[in-house]
Amino acid sequence: MIKRNLSGRKTVILFIFSTIALIFIIKLFFLQVVDHSYKLSSQNNVLRYITQYPARGKILDRTGKLLVFNEAAFDLLVIPQQVKAFDTVDFCQLLNIEKEDFKVRLNKARNYSRYRPSVFLEQISKEDYGYIAEKLYQFHGFYFQARTLRHYPQPIAAHVLGDIGEVNQRNIDSDPYYKSGDYIGKSGIERFYENELRGNKGLKIVMVDVYNREKGSFKDGQYDTLPIAGKDLVLGLDADLQAYGEALMQNKTGSIVAIEPSSGEILSLISSPSFDPNLLVGRIRGQNYKALQEDSLKPLINRAISGSYPPGSTFKMINALVALNIGAISEHTRFTCQGKLSSPIKCTHDHNSPLALLEAMENSCNPYFWNTFRSTLYSSHFKNHKEAYDYWSETMHKFGLGVPFDTDIPFELSGNIPSTAYFDQLYRGSWNALTVRSLSIGQGEILVTPLQLANLAVIISNKGFYYKPHLLKSIVGNEYLPETYTEKIETGVSEKHFEIVKKSMLDVFEGDHGTARYYKIDSIQAGGKTGTVQNPHGEDHSMFIAFAPYDNPRIALAVVVENAGYGSTWAAPIATLMIERYLKGKSSRQALEKRMMETSFNKKKL
Amino acid sequence: MIRERRVNSIDWLSLSIYLILMLLGWLMVYSAVYDENHSSIFDMSQRYGKQLLWIVLSLLLGAVILLIDAKFFNAFAYPIYLIVMLMLVGVLLFGSTIAGSKSWFQIGGFAIQPAEFAKFATALALASYLGKLNRDLILWKTRLTAFAIIGLPAVLILAQYDTGSALVFTVFILVLYREGMSGALMIIGGIAAFLFVMTLYFDQWYVIGGLGFLFGIGLFLVKRNRSNITKMLVLLAVGVSFVFSVDYAFEKILEPHQRTRINVLLGMEKDLMGAGYNVNQSKIAIGSGGFSGKGFLQGTQTKYNFVPEQSTDFIFCTVGEEWGFIGTTAVILLYLLLLSRLIVLAERQRSAFSRIYGYGIASVIFFHFAINIGMTIGLVPVIGIPLPFISYGGSSLWAFSIMFFVFLKQDANRLNIL
Ligand SMILES: [Zn+2]
């Protein structure tokens, strides 16, 4: 047998072995060293970033009563990439959602990110959570995250407190703190003090196995951050007074704003019709919000800051103050009144003529205040009536009229004090006192909000100054309030001129002909002023401003009841009931209280 | 004198690599199934504890083998082969089914897989047969007998639906090549095996398309005279009819459940999550190890079960994830060193039996190495066979250890053969 030379074949076999090993090493070099995408994939596999939501700050009233606190709730999150095939029908039944809804929600999550968790179903109650959590292991990619829901122990102050809702794209774009599915204050205190209330989110990184079970923290938690709880807020609001006022205003459209004159703290801010703030919490928020939005009485509008009314007679006092301040009139100046025959504005009352300021205010004499206004505009102080009007409107601004307070109430309107430029344009430059005469009696273009009206009561009760009206009393943990709330704002009108105006308001209760003399409060001296505002769309609006006690005022307020007629019949008694409640804690006039609460003016609209 | 030489001439290099790989395997199994509740590496209730037991038993087996007379294995090659073949038949009749394969003997708490030992028995029988003086692989009789020795266990194992283990036997072609079989035959055999697997994996028309493509390339490369084109056309026709017959056999002769089994074993129906989940997760695990790895016990992908079969077929993922490119390269180089050493040892044998046997075990280890690692990095379809000495499992470790020590014994004894 011939032995063939086969020694070369050893080399071929060694070559095959080496080639395979080399191919492996090259492939591994690309896999492990060159390509970094596998590192990312491995983290997505294993790491789950859990946002630790801080408790949102609580909100308390001035007496320490809770207005808003947090209740536990749970969000169901999904990581779309980890979702595996499962029985959709079972799943939908478990969560009590429609199959269509399921698809929409899952697609929304997918569109956001395949690898990052997003909220699948928000704000599941504690009760449902227990039931669902037990079965959730069947559904890969879904897990719970604890959140909190706002809860309102008393169904009051919906407009003041505002609500929270999911962030929109604009919120996300403007502040990187927010991620899809986060909550943010949408209105009221929740909106204005969002940064204080929200606290700071924390982040926990945990490792999960292929079954999505937690396997402990990542690198012993060295990259975790703890959440910082939001700050609690104390409001100047008096929950009892707020609830009482809301009860008085039920079935009426309008507003009550009460302020503590010595601090500018808002004691109550009522807009009627109102609603239970608990309606705008959690999963029911969407549908309830829609229902409230469609309600013809517009309960979502906060009339206290966005209702604009002509101030009517209450404005005559301010006109008088401006005139007194520049010496256009003195308290002894008399003007004649020819009653209904008066021109250019007729008088609506019967009284002696000529009359001085105090009597004129007591009788709300239109011709007197027309003459006062004219004297102001044609005062020798000024070059001409336009310069005088500039001064006049500037003083109005100093009274907080025609400009927003820029305080801690979002969406506040400024009311309207027309400018010289406005009239110049409207009347092509040729106008005079006569042209704009309706301003003298608080009609025409002038518009004020109930908050501005209440602040007028504050200014008169303080005889010339006020503090910016505000809701916040203190932030728990902060020593000082923002300076803007503690700064005394002067109107520029001398204190001595206020004496007679303030006295005239006392006479509204105490005088023989006072329009509110029937509602005088037992053992409390108060000042007030009726306003009846003509309303081209229906019944007049009933308006009243008041303060009490007379000497050391602790409360000043404005009441507006739309379409209720005379100020003295509705707004005045409601104002006095409020004062009594606040100063005495109870009412001595149950019958009046009952009548006020039970009367409805909203029916007329239907 | 002779006694002393025997002891001294154990090849310490290959023995060291063997021990290193086994120790490495033990640590990797520990890391792959590690959990904090069972943190002792000696915990017998866990896989790493058991693996340690397998290692100790393997070393005992090795010691016993080294004490047995070297001539025993040549002399008893056929009886051993016969016994293992009977076990393969037995397992078909009385075996237990684990993970879809009816290939296990359940003895007490342990399961033994005869297929693992069939590789050893076949290497022995092949070496014994070809080692006789008058054998020449030029002769068809010798060829066919050799094919029969290799093919019998392969068919029996295929009948257990353990396709992966059956495919291992194709690697004996390397041994036949070394012993003189025509290289062309080896290439044709290799292509046939490749076509076989491809036809099961892909639609037959794709495979035929691929053949047509190769034909087109071939036309460019060779001189286009009549004889060459005729030869190539014949080759193409043979290839196409082969693909059709495999496909026909698969689709028409096999029952649907058998097809499913084969598909499962080929890793085609394990993918419940969609195409390539296993391989993808495996690549993520290895890729995430980076250059230097995450460190011992720090691997998250394997530990948290993202990688399937992480202590057996996909054990290489743990190496890749925890020890990085450095670790994977080191392991590959260790295997290459071991394989080269085995070839060098085989070539220095005086007896044909020892040489052929040496090539036999080198080829088997090589096949496992190439398929297993190729599978974890996505170069080879998922075929579930273990990584020698490293993967968890008693049968596999014992079988490889027996094979290895028998060869060590032959090598140690080589100078006693005239
Ligand atoms: Zn009059």
Side-chain angles (χ1 to χ4, degrees), chain A residues 4 6 9-10 17 24 27-29 31-32 38 42 45-46 207 209-210 215, chain B residues 136 177 180-181 281 286 288 290 301 304-306 320 325 328 347 366 370 377:
Chain A
R4 282 175 296 146
L6 297 172
R9 301 205 163 183
K10 171 189 106 179
F17 289 179
F24 284 177
K27 171 75 181 179
L28 282 163
F29 182 75
L31 204 61
Q32 298 188 286
Y38 291 104
S42 88
N45 259 346
V46 165
M207 297 192 286
D209 70 2
V210 71
K215 288 288 177 183
Chain B
D136 193 327
Y177 170 71
M181 194 176 69
Q281 289 297 342
I286 293 173
S288 69
Q301 303 302 300
Y304 296 148
N305 303 328
F306 286 95
F325 180 66
T328 53
E347 288 290 341
F366 167 71
I377 59 180

mmCIF file of all heavy atoms in Angstrom, chain A residues 4 6 9-10 17 24 27-29 31-32 38 42 45-46 207 209-210 215, chain B residues 136 177 180-181 281 286 288 290 301 304-306 320 325 328 347 366 370 377:
data_model
loop_
_atom_site.group_PDB
_atom_site.id
_atom_site.type_symbol
_atom_site.label_atom_id
_atom_site.label_comp_id
_atom_site.label_asym_id
_atom_site.label_seq_id
_atom_site.Cartn_x
_atom_site.Cartn_y
_atom_site.Cartn_z
ATOM 1 N N ARG A 4 0.244 7.809 1.236
ATOM 2 C CA ARG A 4 0.189 9.142 0.619
ATOM 3 C C ARG A 4 0.661 10.186 1.620
ATOM 4 O O ARG A 4 0.564 9.998 2.831
ATOM 5 C CB ARG A 4 -1.240 9.468 0.177
ATOM 6 C CG ARG A 4 -1.628 8.767 -1.123
ATOM 7 C CD ARG A 4 -3.081 9.023 -1.445
ATOM 8 N NE ARG A 4 -3.953 8.442 -0.426
ATOM 9 C CZ ARG A 4 -5.105 8.985 -0.061
ATOM 10 N NH1 ARG A 4 -5.498 10.111 -0.588
ATOM 11 N NH2 ARG A 4 -5.860 8.400 0.828
ATOM 12 N N LEU A 6 -0.020 13.079 3.657
ATOM 13 C CA LEU A 6 -1.204 13.791 4.121
ATOM 14 C C LEU A 6 -0.867 14.890 5.121
ATOM 15 O O LEU A 6 -1.736 15.457 5.760
ATOM 16 C CB LEU A 6 -2.193 12.804 4.762
ATOM 17 C CG LEU A 6 -2.758 11.732 3.809
ATOM 18 C CD1 LEU A 6 -3.565 10.705 4.607
ATOM 19 C CD2 LEU A 6 -3.608 12.361 2.733
ATOM 20 N N ARG A 9 -2.645 18.259 5.246
ATOM 21 C CA ARG A 9 -4.042 18.350 5.709
ATOM 22 C C ARG A 9 -4.140 18.832 7.147
ATOM 23 O O ARG A 9 -5.135 19.450 7.525
ATOM 24 C CB ARG A 9 -4.699 16.981 5.550
ATOM 25 C CG ARG A 9 -4.656 16.550 4.082
ATOM 26 C CD ARG A 9 -5.736 15.591 3.753
ATOM 27 N NE ARG A 9 -5.891 15.533 2.302
ATOM 28 C CZ ARG A 9 -6.810 14.813 1.682
ATOM 29 N NH1 ARG A 9 -7.649 14.079 2.388
ATOM 30 N NH2 ARG A 9 -6.901 14.837 0.380
ATOM 31 N N LYS A 10 -3.129 18.563 7.936
ATOM 32 C CA LYS A 10 -3.081 19.077 9.316
ATOM 33 C C LYS A 10 -3.159 20.594 9.271
ATOM 34 O O LYS A 10 -3.908 21.227 10.015
ATOM 35 C CB LYS A 10 -1.771 18.632 9.974
ATOM 36 C CG LYS A 10 -1.503 19.279 11.306
ATOM 37 C CD LYS A 10 -0.100 18.972 11.803
ATOM 38 C CE LYS A 10 0.792 20.186 11.665
ATOM 39 N NZ LYS A 10 2.160 19.940 12.160
ATOM 40 N N PHE A 17 -9.681 25.949 11.964
ATOM 41 C CA PHE A 17 -9.879 26.316 13.384
ATOM 42 C C PHE A 17 -9.555 27.791 13.602
ATOM 43 O O PHE A 17 -10.322 28.539 14.217
ATOM 44 C CB PHE A 17 -8.969 25.461 14.281
ATOM 45 C CG PHE A 17 -9.369 24.004 14.379
ATOM 46 C CD1 PHE A 17 -8.625 23.112 15.149
ATOM 47 C CD2 PHE A 17 -10.497 23.524 13.707
ATOM 48 C CE1 PHE A 17 -8.980 21.772 15.244
ATOM 49 C CE2 PHE A 17 -10.856 22.179 13.792
ATOM 50 C CZ PHE A 17 -10.099 21.302 14.557
ATOM 51 N N PHE A 24 -14.760 34.992 14.887
ATOM 52 C CA PHE A 24 -15.463 35.260 16.148
ATOM 53 C C PHE A 24 -14.907 36.505 16.828
ATOM 54 O O PHE A 24 -15.635 37.359 17.315
ATOM 55 C CB PHE A 24 -15.334 34.061 17.092
ATOM 56 C CG PHE A 24 -16.219 32.900 16.711
ATOM 57 C CD1 PHE A 24 -16.171 31.714 17.436
ATOM 58 C CD2 PHE A 24 -17.108 32.997 15.641
ATOM 59 C CE1 PHE A 24 -16.991 30.646 17.096
ATOM 60 C CE2 PHE A 24 -17.918 31.931 15.289
ATOM 61 C CZ PHE A 24 -17.857 30.749 16.022
ATOM 62 N N LYS A 27 -15.945 39.607 14.981
ATOM 63 C CA LYS A 27 -17.374 39.873 15.215
ATOM 64 C C LYS A 27 -17.582 40.429 16.632
ATOM 65 O O LYS A 27 -18.329 41.381 16.842
ATOM 66 C CB LYS A 27 -18.168 38.584 15.012
ATOM 67 C CG LYS A 27 -19.622 38.657 15.428
ATOM 68 C CD LYS A 27 -20.478 39.442 14.438
ATOM 69 C CE LYS A 27 -21.917 39.511 14.928
ATOM 70 N NZ LYS A 27 -22.779 40.278 14.031
ATOM 71 N N LEU A 28 -16.898 39.820 17.597
ATOM 72 C CA LEU A 28 -17.041 40.277 18.979
ATOM 73 C C LEU A 28 -16.488 41.687 19.158
ATOM 74 O O LEU A 28 -17.011 42.472 19.947
ATOM 75 C CB LEU A 28 -16.346 39.306 19.938
ATOM 76 C CG LEU A 28 -17.145 38.028 20.213
ATOM 77 C CD1 LEU A 28 -16.259 36.954 20.804
ATOM 78 C CD2 LEU A 28 -18.315 38.317 21.136
ATOM 79 N N PHE A 29 -15.444 42.000 18.422
ATOM 80 C CA PHE A 29 -14.875 43.339 18.519
ATOM 81 C C PHE A 29 -15.923 44.382 18.101
ATOM 82 O O PHE A 29 -16.113 45.390 18.773
ATOM 83 C CB PHE A 29 -13.629 43.455 17.640
ATOM 84 C CG PHE A 29 -12.961 44.794 17.733
ATOM 85 C CD1 PHE A 29 -12.214 45.123 18.862
ATOM 86 C CD2 PHE A 29 -13.096 45.725 16.721
ATOM 87 C CE1 PHE A 29 -11.612 46.362 18.971
ATOM 88 C CE2 PHE A 29 -12.500 46.971 16.821
ATOM 89 C CZ PHE A 29 -11.749 47.284 17.952
ATOM 90 N N LEU A 31 -19.197 43.870 18.038
ATOM 91 C CA LEU A 31 -20.341 43.755 18.946
ATOM 92 C C LEU A 31 -20.071 44.468 20.267
ATOM 93 O O LEU A 31 -20.914 45.170 20.805
ATOM 94 C CB LEU A 31 -20.585 42.263 19.207
ATOM 95 C CG LEU A 31 -21.976 41.809 19.633
ATOM 96 C CD1 LEU A 31 -22.977 42.151 18.555
ATOM 97 C CD2 LEU A 31 -21.957 40.294 19.860
ATOM 98 N N GLN A 32 -18.867 44.285 20.799
ATOM 99 C CA GLN A 32 -18.610 44.744 22.166
ATOM 100 C C GLN A 32 -17.893 46.080 22.243
ATOM 101 O O GLN A 32 -18.074 46.817 23.196
ATOM 102 C CB GLN A 32 -17.778 43.690 22.914
ATOM 103 C CG GLN A 32 -18.503 42.362 23.040
ATOM 104 C CD GLN A 32 -17.770 41.401 23.941
ATOM 105 O OE1 GLN A 32 -16.754 40.845 23.556
ATOM 106 N NE2 GLN A 32 -18.265 41.213 25.146
ATOM 107 N N TYR A 38 -25.769 48.298 21.923
ATOM 108 C CA TYR A 38 -26.168 47.180 22.791
ATOM 109 C C TYR A 38 -26.166 47.569 24.254
ATOM 110 O O TYR A 38 -26.931 47.052 25.052
ATOM 111 C CB TYR A 38 -25.266 45.974 22.553
ATOM 112 C CG TYR A 38 -25.490 45.368 21.195
ATOM 113 C CD1 TYR A 38 -24.594 45.565 20.162
ATOM 114 C CD2 TYR A 38 -26.633 44.622 20.950
ATOM 115 C CE1 TYR A 38 -24.820 45.027 18.906
ATOM 116 C CE2 TYR A 38 -26.873 44.081 19.703
ATOM 117 C CZ TYR A 38 -25.961 44.287 18.686
ATOM 118 O OH TYR A 38 -26.202 43.761 17.456
ATOM 119 N N SER A 42 -29.307 47.160 26.670
ATOM 120 C CA SER A 42 -29.251 46.388 27.905
ATOM 121 C C SER A 42 -29.805 47.204 29.050
ATOM 122 O O SER A 42 -30.473 46.691 29.927
ATOM 123 C CB SER A 42 -27.821 45.929 28.187
ATOM 124 O OG SER A 42 -27.121 46.895 28.914
ATOM 125 N N ASN A 45 -33.445 47.178 28.842
ATOM 126 C CA ASN A 45 -33.932 45.889 29.314
ATOM 127 C C ASN A 45 -34.101 45.889 30.820
ATOM 128 O O ASN A 45 -35.078 45.416 31.350
ATOM 129 C CB ASN A 45 -32.897 44.808 28.988
ATOM 130 C CG ASN A 45 -33.287 44.021 27.757
ATOM 131 O OD1 ASN A 45 -34.407 44.104 27.314
ATOM 132 N ND2 ASN A 45 -32.358 43.260 27.242
ATOM 133 N N VAL A 46 -33.089 46.408 31.496
ATOM 134 C CA VAL A 46 -32.946 46.136 32.917
ATOM 135 C C VAL A 46 -33.345 47.292 33.803
ATOM 136 O O VAL A 46 -33.919 47.096 34.861
ATOM 137 C CB VAL A 46 -31.477 45.757 33.200
ATOM 138 C CG1 VAL A 46 -31.178 45.825 34.667
ATOM 139 C CG2 VAL A 46 -31.208 44.363 32.688
ATOM 140 N N MET A 207 -33.609 47.852 39.072
ATOM 141 C CA MET A 207 -33.353 46.852 38.032
ATOM 142 C C MET A 207 -34.519 45.866 38.032
ATOM 143 O O MET A 207 -35.040 45.520 39.084
ATOM 144 C CB MET A 207 -32.040 46.147 38.319
ATOM 145 C CG MET A 207 -30.864 47.115 38.266
ATOM 146 S SD MET A 207 -29.279 46.293 38.251
ATOM 147 C CE MET A 207 -29.176 45.752 39.943
ATOM 148 N N ASP A 209 -36.116 42.154 36.201
ATOM 149 C CA ASP A 209 -35.748 40.985 35.413
ATOM 150 C C ASP A 209 -36.681 40.880 34.213
ATOM 151 O O ASP A 209 -37.503 41.761 33.971
ATOM 152 C CB ASP A 209 -35.759 39.710 36.269
ATOM 153 C CG ASP A 209 -37.164 39.298 36.667
ATOM 154 O OD1 ASP A 209 -38.132 39.970 36.242
ATOM 155 O OD2 ASP A 209 -37.288 38.317 37.400
ATOM 156 N N VAL A 210 -36.546 39.795 33.487
ATOM 157 C CA VAL A 210 -37.302 39.673 32.236
ATOM 158 C C VAL A 210 -38.804 39.626 32.499
ATOM 159 O O VAL A 210 -39.598 39.947 31.645
ATOM 160 C CB VAL A 210 -36.818 38.432 31.445
ATOM 161 C CG1 VAL A 210 -37.258 37.163 32.133
ATOM 162 C CG2 VAL A 210 -37.297 38.481 30.002
ATOM 163 N N LYS A 215 -35.682 43.932 41.068
ATOM 164 C CA LYS A 215 -34.581 43.139 41.600
ATOM 165 C C LYS A 215 -33.633 43.991 42.420
ATOM 166 O O LYS A 215 -32.477 43.631 42.590
ATOM 167 C CB LYS A 215 -33.815 42.492 40.443
ATOM 168 C CG LYS A 215 -34.569 41.358 39.780
ATOM 169 C CD LYS A 215 -34.595 40.145 40.679
ATOM 170 C CE LYS A 215 -35.411 39.034 40.073
ATOM 171 N NZ LYS A 215 -35.492 37.887 40.969
ATOM 172 N N ASP B 136 -8.147 2.140 3.657
ATOM 173 C CA ASP B 136 -7.791 3.317 2.873
ATOM 174 C C ASP B 136 -9.067 3.980 2.398
ATOM 175 O O ASP B 136 -9.926 3.344 1.806
ATOM 176 C CB ASP B 136 -6.934 2.924 1.669
ATOM 177 C CG ASP B 136 -6.293 4.158 1.042
ATOM 178 O OD1 ASP B 136 -6.951 5.237 1.074
ATOM 179 O OD2 ASP B 136 -5.169 4.037 0.547
ATOM 180 N N TYR B 177 -11.166 13.487 6.249
ATOM 181 C CA TYR B 177 -10.311 14.277 5.370
ATOM 182 C C TYR B 177 -8.854 14.112 5.758
ATOM 183 O O TYR B 177 -7.975 13.852 4.928
ATOM 184 C CB TYR B 177 -10.730 15.746 5.464
ATOM 185 C CG TYR B 177 -9.778 16.697 4.791
ATOM 186 C CD1 TYR B 177 -9.672 16.744 3.404
ATOM 187 C CD2 TYR B 177 -8.970 17.553 5.550
ATOM 188 C CE1 TYR B 177 -8.802 17.614 2.793
ATOM 189 C CE2 TYR B 177 -8.094 18.425 4.949
ATOM 190 C CZ TYR B 177 -8.008 18.458 3.561
ATOM 191 O OH TYR B 177 -7.140 19.323 2.964
ATOM 192 N N GLY B 180 -7.315 10.956 4.592
ATOM 193 C CA GLY B 180 -7.079 10.673 3.189
ATOM 194 C C GLY B 180 -8.279 10.738 2.274
ATOM 195 O O GLY B 180 -8.158 10.564 1.072
ATOM 196 N N MET B 181 -9.460 10.992 2.834
ATOM 197 C CA MET B 181 -10.598 11.092 1.941
ATOM 198 C C MET B 181 -10.442 12.348 1.091
ATOM 199 O O MET B 181 -9.904 13.352 1.541
ATOM 200 C CB MET B 181 -11.906 11.161 2.740
ATOM 201 C CG MET B 181 -13.123 10.919 1.887
ATOM 202 S SD MET B 181 -14.621 10.908 2.876
ATOM 203 C CE MET B 181 -14.705 12.611 3.337
ATOM 204 N N GLN B 281 -31.393 39.088 22.316
ATOM 205 C CA GLN B 281 -31.080 39.267 23.735
ATOM 206 C C GLN B 281 -29.654 38.823 24.025
ATOM 207 O O GLN B 281 -28.950 39.422 24.837
ATOM 208 C CB GLN B 281 -32.067 38.468 24.599
ATOM 209 C CG GLN B 281 -33.473 39.054 24.615
ATOM 210 C CD GLN B 281 -33.527 40.445 25.224
ATOM 211 O OE1 GLN B 281 -32.625 40.873 25.932
ATOM 212 N NE2 GLN B 281 -34.574 41.187 24.928
ATOM 213 N N ILE B 286 -24.015 40.282 25.348
ATOM 214 C CA ILE B 286 -22.590 40.276 25.025
ATOM 215 C C ILE B 286 -22.129 41.689 24.676
ATOM 216 O O ILE B 286 -21.110 42.169 25.183
ATOM 217 C CB ILE B 286 -22.303 39.302 23.861
ATOM 218 C CG1 ILE B 286 -22.571 37.859 24.318
ATOM 219 C CG2 ILE B 286 -20.851 39.440 23.400
ATOM 220 C CD1 ILE B 286 -22.491 36.836 23.209
ATOM 221 N N SER B 288 -23.333 44.509 25.574
ATOM 222 C CA SER B 288 -23.336 45.462 26.683
ATOM 223 C C SER B 288 -22.119 45.283 27.582
ATOM 224 O O SER B 288 -21.840 46.119 28.425
ATOM 225 C CB SER B 288 -24.622 45.330 27.492
ATOM 226 O OG SER B 288 -24.626 44.103 28.187
ATOM 227 N N GLY B 290 -19.111 45.450 26.652
ATOM 228 C CA GLY B 290 -18.099 46.423 26.249
ATOM 229 C C GLY B 290 -16.707 45.820 26.197
ATOM 230 O O GLY B 290 -16.553 44.610 26.039
ATOM 231 N N GLN B 301 -28.121 41.310 32.265
ATOM 232 C CA GLN B 301 -28.934 40.683 31.215
ATOM 233 C C GLN B 301 -29.098 39.195 31.464
ATOM 234 O O GLN B 301 -30.179 38.651 31.335
ATOM 235 C CB GLN B 301 -28.283 40.884 29.840
ATOM 236 C CG GLN B 301 -28.053 42.319 29.490
ATOM 237 C CD GLN B 301 -29.334 43.113 29.513
ATOM 238 O OE1 GLN B 301 -30.263 42.825 28.789
ATOM 239 N NE2 GLN B 301 -29.406 44.109 30.376
ATOM 240 N N TYR B 304 -30.844 38.438 35.108
ATOM 241 C CA TYR B 304 -32.280 38.676 35.190
ATOM 242 C C TYR B 304 -33.045 37.979 34.070
ATOM 243 O O TYR B 304 -34.130 38.379 33.675
ATOM 244 C CB TYR B 304 -32.564 40.179 35.213
ATOM 245 C CG TYR B 304 -31.992 40.832 36.437
ATOM 246 C CD1 TYR B 304 -31.538 42.136 36.404
ATOM 247 C CD2 TYR B 304 -31.884 40.130 37.638
ATOM 248 C CE1 TYR B 304 -30.990 42.732 37.535
ATOM 249 C CE2 TYR B 304 -31.333 40.701 38.753
ATOM 250 C CZ TYR B 304 -30.889 42.003 38.703
ATOM 251 O OH TYR B 304 -30.360 42.578 39.813
ATOM 252 N N ASN B 305 -32.411 36.926 33.539
ATOM 253 C CA ASN B 305 -33.103 36.006 32.634
ATOM 254 C C ASN B 305 -33.532 36.597 31.300
ATOM 255 O O ASN B 305 -34.445 36.100 30.679
ATOM 256 C CB ASN B 305 -34.345 35.409 33.309
ATOM 257 C CG ASN B 305 -33.982 34.715 34.589
ATOM 258 O OD1 ASN B 305 -32.895 34.161 34.707
ATOM 259 N ND2 ASN B 305 -34.862 34.755 35.561
ATOM 260 N N PHE B 306 -32.918 37.710 30.899
ATOM 261 C CA PHE B 306 -33.268 38.231 29.578
ATOM 262 C C PHE B 306 -32.749 37.290 28.498
ATOM 263 O O PHE B 306 -33.300 37.194 27.425
ATOM 264 C CB PHE B 306 -32.704 39.639 29.372
ATOM 265 C CG PHE B 306 -33.463 40.663 30.141
ATOM 266 C CD1 PHE B 306 -33.042 41.077 31.384
ATOM 267 C CD2 PHE B 306 -34.643 41.180 29.636
ATOM 268 C CE1 PHE B 306 -33.769 42.000 32.097
ATOM 269 C CE2 PHE B 306 -35.377 42.104 30.338
ATOM 270 C CZ PHE B 306 -34.935 42.515 31.578
ATOM 271 N N GLY B 320 -19.356 37.208 27.979
ATOM 272 C CA GLY B 320 -19.320 38.458 27.226
ATOM 273 C C GLY B 320 -19.779 39.647 28.038
ATOM 274 O O GLY B 320 -19.195 40.721 27.961
ATOM 275 N N PHE B 325 -14.932 42.194 26.029
ATOM 276 C CA PHE B 325 -14.174 41.730 24.866
ATOM 277 C C PHE B 325 -12.903 41.006 25.298
ATOM 278 O O PHE B 325 -12.496 40.004 24.701
ATOM 279 C CB PHE B 325 -13.832 42.936 23.985
ATOM 280 C CG PHE B 325 -13.049 42.584 22.755
ATOM 281 C CD1 PHE B 325 -13.609 41.806 21.749
ATOM 282 C CD2 PHE B 325 -11.735 43.024 22.606
ATOM 283 C CE1 PHE B 325 -12.885 41.478 20.620
ATOM 284 C CE2 PHE B 325 -11.006 42.701 21.474
ATOM 285 C CZ PHE B 325 -11.589 41.923 20.486
ATOM 286 N N THR B 328 -14.061 37.446 26.262
ATOM 287 C CA THR B 328 -14.483 36.582 25.152
ATOM 288 C C THR B 328 -13.280 36.185 24.288
ATOM 289 O O THR B 328 -13.149 35.031 23.891
ATOM 290 C CB THR B 328 -15.537 37.294 24.276
ATOM 291 O OG1 THR B 328 -15.039 38.570 23.885
ATOM 292 C CG2 THR B 328 -16.840 37.480 25.011
ATOM 293 N N GLU B 347 -0.841 14.450 15.956
ATOM 294 C CA GLU B 347 0.154 14.222 14.916
ATOM 295 C C GLU B 347 1.395 13.503 15.438
ATOM 296 O O GLU B 347 2.100 12.860 14.683
ATOM 297 C CB GLU B 347 0.559 15.551 14.258
ATOM 298 C CG GLU B 347 -0.521 16.159 13.366
ATOM 299 C CD GLU B 347 -0.750 15.360 12.085
ATOM 300 O OE1 GLU B 347 0.129 14.568 11.708
ATOM 301 O OE2 GLU B 347 -1.825 15.517 11.463
ATOM 302 N N PHE B 366 -14.289 21.257 18.435
ATOM 303 C CA PHE B 366 -14.338 22.391 17.505
ATOM 304 C C PHE B 366 -15.767 22.683 17.048
ATOM 305 O O PHE B 366 -16.205 23.830 17.026
ATOM 306 C CB PHE B 366 -13.455 22.117 16.286
ATOM 307 C CG PHE B 366 -13.694 23.082 15.161
ATOM 308 C CD1 PHE B 366 -13.275 24.411 15.276
ATOM 309 C CD2 PHE B 366 -14.353 22.683 14.003
ATOM 310 C CE1 PHE B 366 -13.512 25.310 14.251
ATOM 311 C CE2 PHE B 366 -14.594 23.593 12.974
ATOM 312 C CZ PHE B 366 -14.171 24.900 13.102
ATOM 313 N N ALA B 370 -17.606 26.138 17.670
ATOM 314 C CA ALA B 370 -17.976 26.999 16.554
ATOM 315 C C ALA B 370 -19.474 27.266 16.518
ATOM 316 O O ALA B 370 -19.909 28.404 16.345
ATOM 317 C CB ALA B 370 -17.528 26.361 15.240
ATOM 318 N N ILE B 377 -23.510 34.878 19.091
ATOM 319 C CA ILE B 377 -23.232 36.192 18.500
ATOM 320 C C ILE B 377 -23.935 36.363 17.164
ATOM 321 O O ILE B 377 -23.664 37.305 16.428
ATOM 322 C CB ILE B 377 -21.710 36.458 18.371
ATOM 323 C CG1 ILE B 377 -21.029 35.391 17.500
ATOM 324 C CG2 ILE B 377 -21.058 36.499 19.737
ATOM 325 C CD1 ILE B 377 -19.532 35.618 17.354
#
